[in-house]
Amino acid sequence: MNTAKIILASSSQTRKELMDRLRLDYVSIVPDIDESPKGENHADDLAKRLAFEKARYIAEQHPDAIVIGSDQVAWREGAPDIFIGKPLTSEKAIRQLQANSDKIVYFSTALSVQQKSTGFERTLVEHYKVKFRKLSQAEIERYVKLEQPLHCAGSFKCESLGISLFEKMIGQDQTTLMGMPMIKLCSILRELDILVP
């Protein structure tokens, strides 16, 4: 059984909650990277680069540790090169949800697991999509006021009240939508001889 230290390269409370499900000992360290796009023309490419860079940044400092990085980029049907970021303000969240109304929004969620000392590296992208129902202005404003989804790509929290915004959800692993594909992560950890569960 592998006893290497496990580090989650993230400041995300949701990703920490997902990691907690595994009941593994781990620590969370925030990677200091530039998350702005660098010419990527598809959400998959941006998400993959950011997940890789987050894990690599921490792995450089902790070469014996198993480091987990993840990132998510959202985009609307027909526009994989126009990324939907975190709104950061209520006004932008309202605008995002207005634009999402009655549309399919896709999520490219990347995962990168690295251990520098052994040269281990797995980076992949998983997909999930949601069909928003037609939302009224009053529903949007009430939702943003109640949930304050200002640090969520797409301006919703599917694990909470955000579920009320959808007509349907399509994908194999709902944690992909939440920000880290846990089925794939568990598979990679088993590959590393980490006991899960």
mmCIF file of all heavy atoms in Angstrom, residues 18-60:
data_model
loop_
_atom_site.group_PDB
_atom_site.id
_atom_site.type_symbol
_atom_site.label_atom_id
_atom_site.label_comp_id
_atom_site.label_asym_id
_atom_site.label_seq_id
_atom_site.Cartn_x
_atom_site.Cartn_y
_atom_site.Cartn_z
ATOM 1 N N LEU A 18 -15.474 16.950 -1.831
ATOM 2 C CA LEU A 18 -15.411 15.742 -2.646
ATOM 3 C C LEU A 18 -14.274 14.826 -2.168
ATOM 4 O O LEU A 18 -14.454 13.611 -2.055
ATOM 5 C CB LEU A 18 -15.223 16.094 -4.128
ATOM 6 C CG LEU A 18 -16.438 16.726 -4.824
ATOM 7 C CD1 LEU A 18 -16.053 17.230 -6.206
ATOM 8 C CD2 LEU A 18 -17.599 15.748 -4.920
ATOM 9 N N MET A 19 -13.125 15.396 -1.877
ATOM 10 C CA MET A 19 -12.000 14.603 -1.361
ATOM 11 C C MET A 19 -12.355 13.965 -0.022
ATOM 12 O O MET A 19 -11.976 12.818 0.245
ATOM 13 C CB MET A 19 -10.756 15.472 -1.198
ATOM 14 C CG MET A 19 -9.932 15.650 -2.452
ATOM 15 S SD MET A 19 -9.248 14.117 -3.141
ATOM 16 C CE MET A 19 -8.092 13.637 -1.855
ATOM 17 N N ASP A 20 -13.080 14.698 0.810
ATOM 18 C CA ASP A 20 -13.464 14.172 2.129
ATOM 19 C C ASP A 20 -14.279 12.883 2.013
ATOM 20 O O ASP A 20 -14.246 12.037 2.907
ATOM 21 C CB ASP A 20 -14.260 15.216 2.917
ATOM 22 C CG ASP A 20 -13.403 16.387 3.388
ATOM 23 O OD1 ASP A 20 -12.156 16.277 3.349
ATOM 24 O OD2 ASP A 20 -13.985 17.420 3.778
ATOM 25 N N ARG A 21 -15.007 12.736 0.911
ATOM 26 C CA ARG A 21 -15.804 11.527 0.707
ATOM 27 C C ARG A 21 -14.946 10.271 0.717
ATOM 28 O O ARG A 21 -15.416 9.185 1.069
ATOM 29 C CB ARG A 21 -16.545 11.580 -0.637
ATOM 30 C CG ARG A 21 -17.636 12.623 -0.738
ATOM 31 C CD ARG A 21 -18.314 12.488 -2.092
ATOM 32 N NE ARG A 21 -19.320 13.514 -2.309
ATOM 33 C CZ ARG A 21 -20.156 13.521 -3.349
ATOM 34 N NH1 ARG A 21 -20.109 12.536 -4.248
ATOM 35 N NH2 ARG A 21 -21.043 14.478 -3.497
ATOM 36 N N LEU A 22 -13.682 10.398 0.312
ATOM 37 C CA LEU A 22 -12.801 9.233 0.190
ATOM 38 C C LEU A 22 -12.211 8.802 1.529
ATOM 39 O O LEU A 22 -11.629 7.724 1.628
ATOM 40 C CB LEU A 22 -11.672 9.528 -0.804
ATOM 41 C CG LEU A 22 -12.108 9.908 -2.217
ATOM 42 C CD1 LEU A 22 -10.890 10.092 -3.112
ATOM 43 C CD2 LEU A 22 -13.063 8.872 -2.800
ATOM 44 N N ARG A 23 -12.327 9.649 2.546
ATOM 45 C CA ARG A 23 -11.816 9.348 3.900
ATOM 46 C C ARG A 23 -10.335 8.998 3.884
ATOM 47 O O ARG A 23 -9.886 8.080 4.570
ATOM 48 C CB ARG A 23 -12.649 8.248 4.549
ATOM 49 C CG ARG A 23 -14.111 8.669 4.663
ATOM 50 C CD ARG A 23 -14.949 7.668 5.379
ATOM 51 N NE ARG A 23 -16.355 8.077 5.327
ATOM 52 C CZ ARG A 23 -17.324 7.400 5.899
ATOM 53 N NH1 ARG A 23 -17.070 6.297 6.568
ATOM 54 N NH2 ARG A 23 -18.572 7.823 5.809
ATOM 55 N N LEU A 24 -9.602 9.751 3.079
ATOM 56 C CA LEU A 24 -8.148 9.625 3.024
ATOM 57 C C LEU A 24 -7.521 10.801 3.765
ATOM 58 O O LEU A 24 -8.110 11.884 3.834
ATOM 59 C CB LEU A 24 -7.665 9.649 1.566
ATOM 60 C CG LEU A 24 -8.086 8.499 0.660
ATOM 61 C CD1 LEU A 24 -7.725 8.812 -0.785
ATOM 62 C CD2 LEU A 24 -7.446 7.195 1.102
ATOM 63 N N ASP A 25 -6.326 10.592 4.292
ATOM 64 C CA ASP A 25 -5.578 11.707 4.863
ATOM 65 C C ASP A 25 -4.983 12.507 3.710
ATOM 66 O O ASP A 25 -4.292 11.946 2.846
ATOM 67 C CB ASP A 25 -4.452 11.198 5.771
ATOM 68 C CG ASP A 25 -4.992 10.629 7.074
ATOM 69 O OD1 ASP A 25 -6.026 11.126 7.560
ATOM 70 O OD2 ASP A 25 -4.387 9.676 7.600
ATOM 71 N N TYR A 26 -5.264 13.793 3.686
ATOM 72 C CA TYR A 26 -4.696 14.653 2.653
ATOM 73 C C TYR A 26 -4.614 16.075 3.199
ATOM 74 O O TYR A 26 -5.247 16.398 4.211
ATOM 75 C CB TYR A 26 -5.556 14.628 1.369
ATOM 76 C CG TYR A 26 -6.839 15.420 1.471
ATOM 77 C CD1 TYR A 26 -6.915 16.731 0.997
ATOM 78 C CD2 TYR A 26 -7.980 14.879 2.065
ATOM 79 C CE1 TYR A 26 -8.087 17.471 1.105
ATOM 80 C CE2 TYR A 26 -9.145 15.608 2.178
ATOM 81 C CZ TYR A 26 -9.196 16.910 1.697
ATOM 82 O OH TYR A 26 -10.347 17.640 1.818
ATOM 83 N N VAL A 27 -3.842 16.891 2.532
ATOM 84 C CA VAL A 27 -3.804 18.312 2.859
ATOM 85 C C VAL A 27 -4.147 19.084 1.595
ATOM 86 O O VAL A 27 -4.003 18.577 0.478
ATOM 87 C CB VAL A 27 -2.427 18.759 3.405
ATOM 88 C CG1 VAL A 27 -2.131 18.076 4.736
ATOM 89 C CG2 VAL A 27 -1.327 18.515 2.397
ATOM 90 N N SER A 28 -4.591 20.295 1.780
ATOM 91 C CA SER A 28 -4.929 21.157 0.654
ATOM 92 C C SER A 28 -3.959 22.331 0.631
ATOM 93 O O SER A 28 -3.757 22.991 1.652
ATOM 94 C CB SER A 28 -6.371 21.652 0.800
ATOM 95 O OG SER A 28 -6.720 22.467 -0.287
ATOM 96 N N ILE A 29 -3.349 22.540 -0.524
ATOM 97 C CA ILE A 29 -2.428 23.668 -0.706
ATOM 98 C C ILE A 29 -2.861 24.415 -1.968
ATOM 99 O O ILE A 29 -3.120 23.802 -3.004
ATOM 100 C CB ILE A 29 -0.961 23.199 -0.849
ATOM 101 C CG1 ILE A 29 -0.538 22.399 0.388
ATOM 102 C CG2 ILE A 29 -0.040 24.399 -1.060
ATOM 103 C CD1 ILE A 29 0.871 21.819 0.302
ATOM 104 N N VAL A 30 -2.930 25.725 -1.859
ATOM 105 C CA VAL A 30 -3.394 26.545 -2.982
ATOM 106 C C VAL A 30 -2.240 26.793 -3.957
ATOM 107 O O VAL A 30 -1.204 27.342 -3.566
ATOM 108 C CB VAL A 30 -3.960 27.895 -2.485
ATOM 109 C CG1 VAL A 30 -4.442 28.740 -3.658
ATOM 110 C CG2 VAL A 30 -5.089 27.660 -1.485
ATOM 111 N N PRO A 31 -2.401 26.400 -5.226
ATOM 112 C CA PRO A 31 -1.353 26.659 -6.213
ATOM 113 C C PRO A 31 -1.433 28.104 -6.720
ATOM 114 O O PRO A 31 -2.529 28.626 -6.955
ATOM 115 C CB PRO A 31 -1.675 25.676 -7.336
ATOM 116 C CG PRO A 31 -3.155 25.470 -7.241
ATOM 117 C CD PRO A 31 -3.519 25.645 -5.785
ATOM 118 N N ASP A 32 -0.292 28.716 -6.881
ATOM 119 C CA ASP A 32 -0.237 30.109 -7.343
ATOM 120 C C ASP A 32 0.063 30.110 -8.840
ATOM 121 O O ASP A 32 1.216 30.186 -9.261
ATOM 122 C CB ASP A 32 0.841 30.867 -6.566
ATOM 123 C CG ASP A 32 0.910 32.329 -6.964
ATOM 124 O OD1 ASP A 32 -0.079 32.844 -7.532
ATOM 125 O OD2 ASP A 32 1.964 32.959 -6.737
ATOM 126 N N ILE A 33 -0.999 29.967 -9.631
ATOM 127 C CA ILE A 33 -0.811 29.969 -11.090
ATOM 128 C C ILE A 33 -1.740 31.006 -11.730
ATOM 129 O O ILE A 33 -2.744 31.406 -11.141
ATOM 130 C CB ILE A 33 -1.074 28.579 -11.713
ATOM 131 C CG1 ILE A 33 -2.564 28.195 -11.604
ATOM 132 C CG2 ILE A 33 -0.185 27.516 -11.091
ATOM 133 C CD1 ILE A 33 -2.989 27.117 -12.560
ATOM 134 N N ASP A 34 -1.395 31.395 -12.948
ATOM 135 C CA ASP A 34 -2.230 32.308 -13.733
ATOM 136 C C ASP A 34 -3.304 31.467 -14.433
ATOM 137 O O ASP A 34 -2.979 30.600 -15.248
ATOM 138 C CB ASP A 34 -1.361 33.034 -14.760
ATOM 139 C CG ASP A 34 -2.163 33.943 -15.675
ATOM 140 O OD1 ASP A 34 -3.375 34.133 -15.435
ATOM 141 O OD2 ASP A 34 -1.573 34.458 -16.647
ATOM 142 N N GLU A 35 -4.569 31.724 -14.085
ATOM 143 C CA GLU A 35 -5.655 30.898 -14.640
ATOM 144 C C GLU A 35 -6.292 31.494 -15.895
ATOM 145 O O GLU A 35 -7.287 30.975 -16.393
ATOM 146 C CB GLU A 35 -6.723 30.663 -13.567
ATOM 147 C CG GLU A 35 -6.200 29.845 -12.402
ATOM 148 C CD GLU A 35 -7.290 29.324 -11.490
ATOM 149 O OE1 GLU A 35 -8.374 28.973 -11.986
ATOM 150 O OE2 GLU A 35 -7.056 29.273 -10.270
ATOM 151 N N SER A 36 -5.730 32.555 -16.425
ATOM 152 C CA SER A 36 -6.321 33.156 -17.623
ATOM 153 C C SER A 36 -5.974 32.324 -18.858
ATOM 154 O O SER A 36 -4.934 31.662 -18.910
ATOM 155 C CB SER A 36 -5.830 34.596 -17.793
ATOM 156 O OG SER A 36 -4.431 34.634 -17.848
ATOM 157 N N PRO A 37 -6.863 32.336 -19.862
ATOM 158 C CA PRO A 37 -6.595 31.588 -21.104
ATOM 159 C C PRO A 37 -5.324 32.081 -21.795
ATOM 160 O O PRO A 37 -4.965 33.258 -21.698
ATOM 161 C CB PRO A 37 -7.832 31.876 -21.962
ATOM 162 C CG PRO A 37 -8.892 32.277 -20.994
ATOM 163 C CD PRO A 37 -8.175 32.988 -19.879
ATOM 164 N N LYS A 38 -4.644 31.156 -22.476
ATOM 165 C CA LYS A 38 -3.427 31.508 -23.210
ATOM 166 C C LYS A 38 -3.569 31.055 -24.655
ATOM 167 O O LYS A 38 -2.776 30.267 -25.155
ATOM 168 C CB LYS A 38 -2.205 30.864 -22.562
ATOM 169 C CG LYS A 38 -1.891 31.437 -21.184
ATOM 170 C CD LYS A 38 -0.632 30.844 -20.595
ATOM 171 C CE LYS A 38 -0.340 31.457 -19.234
ATOM 172 N NZ LYS A 38 0.785 30.776 -18.561
ATOM 173 N N GLY A 39 -4.636 31.507 -25.293
ATOM 174 C CA GLY A 39 -4.838 31.193 -26.699
ATOM 175 C C GLY A 39 -5.560 29.889 -26.974
ATOM 176 O O GLY A 39 -5.695 29.493 -28.128
ATOM 177 N N GLU A 40 -6.023 29.214 -25.924
ATOM 178 C CA GLU A 40 -6.759 27.968 -26.155
ATOM 179 C C GLU A 40 -8.048 28.261 -26.915
ATOM 180 O O GLU A 40 -8.722 29.255 -26.641
ATOM 181 C CB GLU A 40 -7.111 27.288 -24.818
ATOM 182 C CG GLU A 40 -5.930 26.701 -24.090
ATOM 183 C CD GLU A 40 -5.246 27.650 -23.125
ATOM 184 O OE1 GLU A 40 -5.661 28.823 -23.060
ATOM 185 O OE2 GLU A 40 -4.308 27.238 -22.449
ATOM 186 N N ASN A 41 -8.394 27.391 -27.863
ATOM 187 C CA ASN A 41 -9.621 27.609 -28.620
ATOM 188 C C ASN A 41 -10.676 26.547 -28.339
ATOM 189 O O ASN A 41 -11.642 26.424 -29.070
ATOM 190 C CB ASN A 41 -9.341 27.731 -30.129
ATOM 191 C CG ASN A 41 -8.575 26.534 -30.663
ATOM 192 O OD1 ASN A 41 -8.577 25.468 -30.050
ATOM 193 N ND2 ASN A 41 -7.923 26.717 -31.792
ATOM 194 N N HIS A 42 -10.466 25.766 -27.276
ATOM 195 C CA HIS A 42 -11.493 24.829 -26.820
ATOM 196 C C HIS A 42 -11.402 24.712 -25.309
ATOM 197 O O HIS A 42 -10.312 24.706 -24.734
ATOM 198 C CB HIS A 42 -11.319 23.456 -27.474
ATOM 199 C CG HIS A 42 -12.539 22.592 -27.350
ATOM 200 N ND1 HIS A 42 -12.927 22.030 -26.142
ATOM 201 C CD2 HIS A 42 -13.482 22.222 -28.256
ATOM 202 C CE1 HIS A 42 -14.041 21.332 -26.316
ATOM 203 N NE2 HIS A 42 -14.397 21.443 -27.595
ATOM 204 N N ALA A 43 -12.563 24.596 -24.670
ATOM 205 C CA ALA A 43 -12.628 24.492 -23.214
ATOM 206 C C ALA A 43 -11.799 23.326 -22.686
ATOM 207 O O ALA A 43 -11.168 23.426 -21.630
ATOM 208 C CB ALA A 43 -14.084 24.352 -22.778
ATOM 209 N N ASP A 44 -11.779 22.190 -23.410
ATOM 210 C CA ASP A 44 -10.997 21.032 -22.985
ATOM 211 C C ASP A 44 -9.525 21.396 -22.798
ATOM 212 O O ASP A 44 -8.883 20.985 -21.830
ATOM 213 C CB ASP A 44 -11.080 19.905 -24.018
ATOM 214 C CG ASP A 44 -12.394 19.149 -23.976
ATOM 215 O OD1 ASP A 44 -13.313 19.559 -23.237
ATOM 216 O OD2 ASP A 44 -12.504 18.140 -24.697
ATOM 217 N N ASP A 45 -8.992 22.149 -23.748
ATOM 218 C CA ASP A 45 -7.568 22.494 -23.715
ATOM 219 C C ASP A 45 -7.237 23.389 -22.525
ATOM 220 O O ASP A 45 -6.216 23.200 -21.860
ATOM 221 C CB ASP A 45 -7.156 23.184 -25.022
ATOM 222 C CG ASP A 45 -7.378 22.299 -26.232
ATOM 223 O OD1 ASP A 45 -7.236 21.062 -26.098
ATOM 224 O OD2 ASP A 45 -7.710 22.827 -27.305
ATOM 225 N N LEU A 46 -8.105 24.355 -22.251
ATOM 226 C CA LEU A 46 -7.877 25.268 -21.125
ATOM 227 C C LEU A 46 -7.978 24.511 -19.801
ATOM 228 O O LEU A 46 -7.104 24.636 -18.938
ATOM 229 C CB LEU A 46 -8.870 26.423 -21.161
ATOM 230 C CG LEU A 46 -8.787 27.419 -19.992
ATOM 231 C CD1 LEU A 46 -7.395 28.040 -19.889
ATOM 232 C CD2 LEU A 46 -9.853 28.506 -20.147
ATOM 233 N N ALA A 47 -9.016 23.716 -19.644
ATOM 234 C CA ALA A 47 -9.201 22.970 -18.394
ATOM 235 C C ALA A 47 -8.023 22.027 -18.154
ATOM 236 O O ALA A 47 -7.502 21.930 -17.028
ATOM 237 C CB ALA A 47 -10.511 22.186 -18.438
ATOM 238 N N LYS A 48 -7.586 21.354 -19.190
ATOM 239 C CA LYS A 48 -6.487 20.395 -19.070
ATOM 240 C C LYS A 48 -5.189 21.095 -18.677
ATOM 241 O O LYS A 48 -4.455 20.625 -17.796
ATOM 242 C CB LYS A 48 -6.321 19.653 -20.410
ATOM 243 C CG LYS A 48 -5.547 18.368 -20.314
ATOM 244 C CD LYS A 48 -5.668 17.603 -21.628
ATOM 245 C CE LYS A 48 -4.998 16.243 -21.524
ATOM 246 N NZ LYS A 48 -5.120 15.468 -22.754
ATOM 247 N N ARG A 49 -4.896 22.209 -19.321
ATOM 248 C CA ARG A 49 -3.663 22.938 -18.980
ATOM 249 C C ARG A 49 -3.694 23.417 -17.529
ATOM 250 O O ARG A 49 -2.713 23.286 -16.792
ATOM 251 C CB ARG A 49 -3.447 24.133 -19.916
ATOM 252 C CG ARG A 49 -2.209 24.960 -19.512
ATOM 253 C CD ARG A 49 -1.928 26.110 -20.447
ATOM 254 N NE ARG A 49 -2.954 27.117 -20.486
ATOM 255 C CZ ARG A 49 -3.093 28.092 -19.578
ATOM 256 N NH1 ARG A 49 -2.288 28.162 -18.538
ATOM 257 N NH2 ARG A 49 -4.049 28.989 -19.714
ATOM 258 N N LEU A 50 -4.828 23.978 -17.108
ATOM 259 C CA LEU A 50 -4.902 24.520 -15.753
ATOM 260 C C LEU A 50 -4.797 23.416 -14.697
ATOM 261 O O LEU A 50 -4.112 23.587 -13.680
ATOM 262 C CB LEU A 50 -6.188 25.321 -15.573
ATOM 263 C CG LEU A 50 -6.263 26.617 -16.394
ATOM 264 C CD1 LEU A 50 -7.605 27.290 -16.202
ATOM 265 C CD2 LEU A 50 -5.124 27.564 -16.040
ATOM 266 N N ALA A 51 -5.463 22.289 -14.915
ATOM 267 C CA ALA A 51 -5.365 21.177 -13.960
ATOM 268 C C ALA A 51 -3.918 20.689 -13.870
ATOM 269 O O ALA A 51 -3.393 20.450 -12.773
ATOM 270 C CB ALA A 51 -6.293 20.037 -14.374
ATOM 271 N N PHE A 52 -3.275 20.555 -15.022
ATOM 272 C CA PHE A 52 -1.882 20.104 -15.060
ATOM 273 C C PHE A 52 -0.977 21.089 -14.326
ATOM 274 O O PHE A 52 -0.132 20.693 -13.513
ATOM 275 C CB PHE A 52 -1.409 19.936 -16.506
ATOM 276 C CG PHE A 52 0.025 19.516 -16.619
ATOM 277 C CD1 PHE A 52 0.371 18.172 -16.571
ATOM 278 C CD2 PHE A 52 1.031 20.457 -16.756
ATOM 279 C CE1 PHE A 52 1.703 17.772 -16.654
ATOM 280 C CE2 PHE A 52 2.367 20.070 -16.839
ATOM 281 C CZ PHE A 52 2.696 18.732 -16.790
ATOM 282 N N GLU A 53 -1.137 22.390 -14.612
ATOM 283 C CA GLU A 53 -0.269 23.401 -14.005
ATOM 284 C C GLU A 53 -0.479 23.505 -12.500
ATOM 285 O O GLU A 53 0.476 23.722 -11.748
ATOM 286 C CB GLU A 53 -0.481 24.765 -14.677
ATOM 287 C CG GLU A 53 0.115 24.835 -16.070
ATOM 288 C CD GLU A 53 -0.007 26.208 -16.712
ATOM 289 O OE1 GLU A 53 -0.567 27.135 -16.085
ATOM 290 O OE2 GLU A 53 0.461 26.358 -17.858
ATOM 291 N N LYS A 54 -1.716 23.349 -12.044
ATOM 292 C CA LYS A 54 -1.982 23.381 -10.600
ATOM 293 C C LYS A 54 -1.235 22.235 -9.914
ATOM 294 O O LYS A 54 -0.563 22.429 -8.895
ATOM 295 C CB LYS A 54 -3.486 23.255 -10.327
ATOM 296 C CG LYS A 54 -4.282 24.510 -10.635
ATOM 297 C CD LYS A 54 -5.767 24.248 -10.402
ATOM 298 C CE LYS A 54 -6.610 25.472 -10.698
ATOM 299 N NZ LYS A 54 -8.055 25.215 -10.479
ATOM 300 N N ALA A 55 -1.383 21.027 -10.458
ATOM 301 C CA ALA A 55 -0.710 19.870 -9.862
ATOM 302 C C ALA A 55 0.809 20.005 -9.969
ATOM 303 O O ALA A 55 1.531 19.715 -9.005
ATOM 304 C CB ALA A 55 -1.192 18.584 -10.530
ATOM 305 N N ARG A 56 1.302 20.449 -11.097
ATOM 306 C CA ARG A 56 2.747 20.567 -11.307
ATOM 307 C C ARG A 56 3.356 21.594 -10.345
ATOM 308 O O ARG A 56 4.437 21.380 -9.786
ATOM 309 C CB ARG A 56 3.039 20.939 -12.764
ATOM 310 C CG ARG A 56 4.501 21.149 -13.135
ATOM 311 C CD ARG A 56 5.438 20.019 -12.715
ATOM 312 N NE ARG A 56 4.970 18.702 -13.053
ATOM 313 C CZ ARG A 56 5.295 18.039 -14.160
ATOM 314 N NH1 ARG A 56 6.102 18.594 -15.041
ATOM 315 N NH2 ARG A 56 4.826 16.830 -14.371
ATOM 316 N N TYR A 57 2.666 22.703 -10.138
ATOM 317 C CA TYR A 57 3.168 23.759 -9.246
ATOM 318 C C TYR A 57 3.428 23.205 -7.838
ATOM 319 O O TYR A 57 4.467 23.445 -7.242
ATOM 320 C CB TYR A 57 2.157 24.911 -9.194
ATOM 321 C CG TYR A 57 2.597 26.074 -8.334
ATOM 322 C CD1 TYR A 57 3.348 27.114 -8.879
ATOM 323 C CD2 TYR A 57 2.258 26.144 -6.984
ATOM 324 C CE1 TYR A 57 3.759 28.180 -8.091
ATOM 325 C CE2 TYR A 57 2.662 27.203 -6.194
ATOM 326 C CZ TYR A 57 3.412 28.221 -6.755
ATOM 327 O OH TYR A 57 3.811 29.276 -5.967
ATOM 328 N N ILE A 58 2.481 22.430 -7.323
ATOM 329 C CA ILE A 58 2.622 21.867 -5.975
ATOM 330 C C ILE A 58 3.585 20.683 -5.979
ATOM 331 O O ILE A 58 4.374 20.498 -5.052
ATOM 332 C CB ILE A 58 1.245 21.464 -5.403
ATOM 333 C CG1 ILE A 58 0.306 22.681 -5.341
ATOM 334 C CG2 ILE A 58 1.390 20.816 -4.034
ATOM 335 C CD1 ILE A 58 0.783 23.833 -4.491
ATOM 336 N N ALA A 59 3.570 19.875 -7.030
ATOM 337 C CA ALA A 59 4.463 18.710 -7.120
ATOM 338 C C ALA A 59 5.935 19.128 -7.142
ATOM 339 O O ALA A 59 6.798 18.410 -6.622
ATOM 340 C CB ALA A 59 4.124 17.878 -8.351
ATOM 341 N N GLU A 60 6.216 20.274 -7.730
ATOM 342 C CA GLU A 60 7.594 20.786 -7.744
ATOM 343 C C GLU A 60 8.078 21.048 -6.317
ATOM 344 O O GLU A 60 9.250 20.853 -5.998
ATOM 345 C CB GLU A 60 7.680 22.087 -8.568
ATOM 346 C CG GLU A 60 7.399 21.926 -10.047
ATOM 347 C CD GLU A 60 8.583 21.384 -10.833
ATOM 348 O OE1 GLU A 60 9.684 21.279 -10.262
ATOM 349 O OE2 GLU A 60 8.390 21.038 -12.018
#
